[in-house]
Amino acid sequence: MARPLIVSNRLPISVRVERGALCLTRSSGGLATAMRGPHERLNALWIGWPGSVASLSPEQRDDADAALAGIRAVPVHLGAAEQHRFYDGFSNGVLWPLFHYLLDKVNLDAELDWEVYQRVNERFAEVVAAQYAPGDAIWVHDYQLMLLPALLRRRLPEARIGFFLHVPFPSAEVFRILPWRKQIVKGLLGADLVGFHTAGYRRNFAASAAHVLELDPGEETIEHDGRRVALGVHPISIDALEIGRIAGHPGVRQEVARIRAEARGRKIVLGIDRLDYTKGIPRRLLAIEQFLEREPELRDEVRFIQLAVPTREMAGAYTDFRRLVHEMVGRINGQYGTTYAVPIHYMHRSLPLEQVVALYLAADVMLVTPLRDGMNLVAKEYIAARVDGDGALILSEFAGAAVELAEVISVNPYDIGSVAAAVKQAITMPPAEQQVRMAALRRRVATHDVHVWTRSFLDDLDRAAAPEPAAAAALIAPREVPESVVDRVRRAPERVWILDYDGTLVPFAAVPDLAAPDEKLVALLRTLSERDRVHVVSGRRRADIERWFGALPLHLHAEHGFWSRPRASDDWVALESDAAAWKGEIRSLLEDFTRRTPGSFIEEKTVTLAWHYRAAEPELAGEHARELRAHLAERMAADALELLGGAKVLEVRPRGVHKGRVVPLILDEVPERAAVIAIGDDRTDEDIFAALPPSACTIHVGNESSLAAYRLPDSGAVRSLLRSIHA
């Protein structure tokens, strides 16, 4: 297996100085815990922030870098202010609450934080590119580095790049409020594979890409920038064997006995969470309070233990949240405590994994009720630790883990009454039922552990980054038009232009009639045609082209070359006769899909039918476009037709009617020393590029792969090029 380069915001090791000595300590986050095994087993290199080194002397910093190198870790050093704006400001002040649907906490005026977020992602790209060797698999993790895949693609176009999101991806309606939404989506689409915990998160991302970038949302892939990006579902897991091994250790068993002895025969209901507002701790406490109020006879039979792990201690929102939780615990304990005990035993600190596993083993019930969570590995750790085969798990339906763990007691964390009822159900559940549920949960967690997750993701990355089949290999990513080519065209004694219209001379419009030529374009084409031969080859109807350009001394070709009007003639000439006899049944099919897809419409030309869906709702339109393709594919061969996919349009035409058919007619009149320049933006223009000789200058408009030798970004750049030729 190729060497993975694991890239995350933080290294699994933090560097600090204690009593003048350099110390490396393990990080406790979920990502660090999950990836520790793959890092060790796959001989991977881990790249990330090592913590602040501002207090280190130059010698200590060199020692720290050397120590990190010894465990295959590469630091990305950030200044304190930079780290604050990148991590606290944008990552956790904007993306974290947005992706967890807590919109009231999203800072949408974070321009300075956004600038630093971009800068830090660039810094990571520089470090990763410096460490990269051909054959490495780059695996980028989580929301702090969502720009990194595209930045790496720019530096390392041939690299295998995967991205995995450890948090939820929100619905398109929520994601689209982000002012920097386009940059985020484009950043992720620099990867070969983008992985999510659940199919729902993947669906949300595809819908967001469709809305934000006007892409056709595929179920498992997205076409962008001339590349196919795979979208995967890879629910992360834990090292179940390691948790089970710890659970069997004699010292852990002794700790379990001590915890149970302190409970004095009461049922233990356990919560373990980072002290984060997404984890639902206040509503959980309200549910506990309601349970204590509803079930007075059970008050002395239950002990609630809540371990709240400190997180983001310096952030103001978290300071207020911590105070709220502490006050709620105090109020409930004051209301329902006795001289012998309080109902909630609250701990605000981190504990070693061995003590956490002991708590898992001691607990009769595990209470996991986040308001929203990407996965929640605490739920899986509890299951893996239950080597005795009993215990009950209450799990929020809004945790990613709920998709996999069907045998849990599922709750809506916003409904405190249902959570209180679930607590009673769990503590009174018969042992036989506990064991049946837990046996199924343990099989699932053991089968799909973190090592299976790692292999699955990296195998899918290999497939996603594999070279295209030979048929597609002819399409390449064209390079920018070099100045030398522009100069050669400018100095040519004669020039022949073959120009597409929509997407090339004008940008796309939601309705085709809104893309009429403006006065500047008409003037530009008139000036160009005074010296050069100019052919406009469009898929537009003959009437449109005649209305717009009939008065100009241009060679016009409409409906993909089916109709041509030479410059010296007023008559349009058809490519062939009786080419439209097939339309009836196809038209009926398109009309059915138009009725089902508000915003779509049919455009009929002499020998083609086109179904436009640019103005339709992207998710519905994408679904119907795939369905329509399947229906049409059954008819194509039998009726000698072909289906052409364009920019939010599906077009049916007779086989052999395409823009490439006009190229021989154009070349017959080209002087020997003339420069031929063809410019187009979509699949229909590839037929022109294919029909031209290698000596022609072919230019694709956009970022997709093409037979063209060169590229321009958009119609504005095309106009600039045309103007520059006569400058």
Side-chain angles (χ1 to χ4, degrees):
M1 179 180 285
R3 180 183 70 158
L5 302 186
I6 301 169
V7 191
S8 64
N9 163 57
R10 290 208 63 158
L11 287 174
I13 297 292
S14 294
V15 177
R16 67 175 187 271
V17 175
E18 287 186 0
R19 299 176 183 176
L22 186 69
C23 294
L24 301 183
T25 58
R26 277 191 171 188
S27 302
S28 60
L31 189 157
T33 302
M35 293 303 298
R36 187 171 292 124
H39 178 227
E40 295 170 356
R41 294 171 70 248
L42 300 178
N43 199 38
L45 192 68
W46 199 319
I47 300 169
W49 183 60
S52 175
V53 296
S55 62
L56 272 61
S57 67
E59 294 78 11
Q60 288 174 324
R61 185 162 169 169
D62 290 341
D63 290 343
D65 288 352
L68 291 171
I71 56 172
R72 299 188 313 283
V74 177
V76 179
H77 293 297
L78 304 174
E82 190 176 41
Q83 169 67 8
H84 172 68
R85 285 200 175 275
F86 159 69
Y87 185 73
D88 297 316
F90 195 81
S91 297
N92 294 313
V94 178
L95 296 178
W96 177 265
L98 178 72
F99 282 29
H100 289 84
Y101 292 80
L102 296 168
L103 305 190
D104 61 314
K105 298 184 183 298
V106 180
N107 177 14
L108 295 175
D109 300 313
E111 287 291 346
L112 292 177
D113 296 334
W114 164 246
E115 291 175 9
V116 176
Y117 183 84
Q118 295 177 87
R119 199 158 61 238
V120 170
N121 273 254
E122 289 275 7
R123 182 90 52 80
F124 269 82
E126 292 166 2
V127 175
V128 174
Q131 296 295 327
Y132 175 80
D136 287 345
I138 302 173
W139 192 356
V140 182
H141 290 266
D142 226 3
Y143 62 101
Q144 300 94 347
L145 300 174
M146 298 180 88
L147 304 180
L148 185 54
L151 297 174
L152 290 172
R153 180 66 58 197
R154 199 174 305 149
R155 291 168 169 82
L156 306 167
E158 303 303 319
R160 283 177 296 170
I161 304 171
F163 179 92
F164 187 78
L165 185 66
H166 291 258
V167 298
F169 197 94
S171 68
E173 287 73 18
V174 169
F175 178 75
R176 284 157 56 202
I177 74 170
L178 185 66
W180 309 279
R181 57 195 188 174
K182 284 189 177 181
Q183 297 94 317
I184 295 294
V185 173
K186 287 181 178 179
L188 292 177
L189 291 178
D192 295 294
L193 169 64
V194 182
F196 305 89
H197 289 302
T198 72
Y201 302 159
R202 177 176 69 178
R203 186 167 55 249
N204 289 346
F205 174 74
S208 296
H211 281 281
V212 171
L213 299 183
E214 297 187 349
L215 302 175
D216 281 331
E219 294 181 5
E220 297 182 354
T221 60
I222 288 181
E223 300 280 347
H224 174 66
D225 209 10
R227 300 169 45 254
R228 180 172 295 174
V229 181
L231 307 180
V233 177
H234 300 90
I236 196 172
S237 194
I238 60 170
D239 191 336
L241 281 176
E242 176 64 10
I243 296 293
R245 185 192 65 77
I246 294 172
H249 192 276
V252 171
R253 290 291 183 169
Q254 291 174 5
E255 179 66 9
V256 172
R258 187 191 65 78
I259 296 170
R260 286 179 173 165
E262 286 186 355
R264 298 177 183 176
R266 290 177 291 174
K267 296 277 189 178
I268 296 175
V269 179
L270 174 66
I272 297 181
D273 311 85
R274 287 187 302 107
L275 191 55
D276 187 281
Y277 50 72
T278 65
K279 300 301 182 181
I281 296 175
R283 297 201 70 78
R284 183 185 309 166
L285 293 172
L286 291 175
I288 291 171
E289 183 177 36
Q290 190 166 123
F291 169 83
L292 295 170
E293 181 181 341
R294 282 183 181 177
E295 312 292 343
E297 72 283 358
L298 296 177
R299 290 175 189 169
D300 293 332
E301 296 184 20
V302 182
R303 186 187 202 205
F304 295 92
I305 299 177
Q306 176 65 55
L307 175 62
V309 179
T311 185
R312 301 166 192 160
E313 292 287 281
M314 301 306 293
Y318 286 85
T319 302
D320 296 340
F321 182 72
R322 182 169 66 250
R323 183 183 305 112
L324 170 66
V325 170
H326 289 191
E327 289 173 353
M328 290 184 70
V329 170
R331 179 176 58 77
I332 296 170
N333 280 340
Q335 178 72 25
Y336 294 101
T338 68
T339 56
Y340 302 102
V342 292
I344 303 174
H345 180 63
Y346 180 78
M347 297 178 286
H348 178 224
R349 63 175 182 270
S350 298
L351 291 178
L353 181 58
E354 290 76 12
Q355 286 184 258
V356 170
V357 172
L359 283 169
Y360 289 147
L361 267 172
D364 299 281
V365 177
M366 189 77 213
L367 194 52
V368 182
T369 57
L371 303 179
R372 189 77 57 169
D373 218 339
M375 174 53 65
N376 196 291
L377 295 181
V378 165
K380 293 188 175 185
E381 287 180 352
Y382 177 72
I383 293 167
R386 301 303 302 196
V387 292
D388 295 338
D390 55 9
L393 174 58
I394 300 171
L395 181 61
S396 165
E397 64 185 78
F398 299 121
V403 176
E404 296 179 83
L405 307 179
E407 295 79 13
V408 303
I409 300 173
S410 180
V411 294
N412 174 359
Y414 291 92
D415 183 352
I416 60 176
S418 72
V419 177
V423 171
K424 181 177 181 180
Q425 178 188 351
I427 64 176
T428 59
M429 184 182 293
E433 182 181 348
Q434 287 186 33
Q435 290 163 6
V436 170
R437 290 175 182 253
M438 188 56 69
L441 292 169
R442 283 179 57 77
R443 280 194 300 272
R444 193 166 299 115
V445 170
T447 302
H448 299 281
D449 67 0
V450 70
H451 307 300
V452 171
W453 173 75
T454 302
R455 287 196 302 273
S456 171
F457 186 92
L458 292 177
D459 287 348
D460 283 0
L461 177 57
D462 284 343
R463 284 189 285 270
E468 292 286 336
L475 296 176
I476 61 171
R479 59 194 179 101
E480 297 281 350
V481 181
E483 187 57 38
S484 59
V485 170
V486 176
D487 189 57
R488 186 169 69 246
V489 170
R490 187 182 292 119
R491 289 186 288 104
E494 294 190 59
R495 289 180 290 266
V496 177
W497 298 89
I498 305 174
L499 304 174
D500 172 49
Y501 182 71
D502 290 283
T504 300
L505 294 175
V506 295
F508 286 108
V511 179
D513 288 345
L514 296 178
D518 54 86
E519 292 181 2
K520 289 183 179 180
L521 176 60
V522 172
L524 176 60
L525 291 176
R526 179 179 286 111
T527 300
L528 199 66
S529 61
E530 289 173 355
R531 184 193 185 286
D532 302 339
R533 302 185 186 208
V534 181
H535 294 259
V536 174
V537 186
S538 173
R540 289 275 187 165
R541 293 174 299 180
R542 176 179 48 156
D544 293 337
I545 298 300
E546 177 69 36
R547 183 172 74 254
W548 292 340
F549 302 121
L552 297 180
L554 305 173
H555 301 266
L556 303 178
H557 309 271
E559 300 187 25
H560 302 301
F562 182 81
W563 291 103
S564 291
R565 194 211 73 173
R567 178 178 178 176
S569 170
D570 293 329
D571 297 327
W572 286 86
V573 179
L575 186 67
E576 56 189 73
S577 61
D578 196 29
W582 52 272
K583 282 186 176 179
E585 189 174 341
I586 299 294
R587 186 189 295 107
S588 297
L589 181 63
L590 297 185
E591 287 171 349
D592 178 54
F593 274 83
T594 301
R595 282 192 295 271
R596 294 168 52 199
T597 317
S600 68
F601 64 92
I602 300 169
E603 182 184 17
E604 183 166 358
K605 306 169 190 175
T606 306
V607 292
T608 66
L609 284 170
W611 186 66
H612 293 264
Y613 55 95
R614 180 174 295 277
E617 197 279 320
E619 292 168 273
L620 180 65
E623 177 185 328
H624 286 178
R626 290 190 293 273
E627 184 182 347
L628 179 56
R629 279 180 180 274
H631 282 289
L632 291 173
E634 299 174 1
R635 296 291 313 276
M636 296 298 99
D639 292 342
L641 302 173
E642 61 181 346
L643 176 63
L644 204 64
K648 302 290 184 179
V649 61
L650 294 177
E651 189 160 12
V652 182
R653 68 187 185 188
R655 198 174 302 279
V657 175
H658 57 78
K659 291 181 180 180
R661 290 280 294 270
V662 305
V663 170
L665 304 177
I666 294 172
L667 294 182
D668 279 347
E669 300 179 358
V670 171
E672 185 176 341
R673 297 173 56 207
V676 178
I677 311 99
I679 310 179
D681 73 294
D682 68 11
R683 171 62 188 83
T684 66
D685 302 304
E686 296 298 314
D687 294 321
I688 293 177
F689 301 150
L692 285 169
S695 59
C697 175
T698 52
I699 302 174
H700 169 75
V701 182
N703 296 316
E704 294 76 17
S705 298
S706 172
L707 291 171
Y710 308 108
R711 64 172 291 273
L712 289 170
D714 51 38
S715 59
V718 173
R719 295 195 192 191
S720 295
L721 173 68
L722 298 180
R723 286 192 296 267
S724 72
I725 296 301
H726 289 277

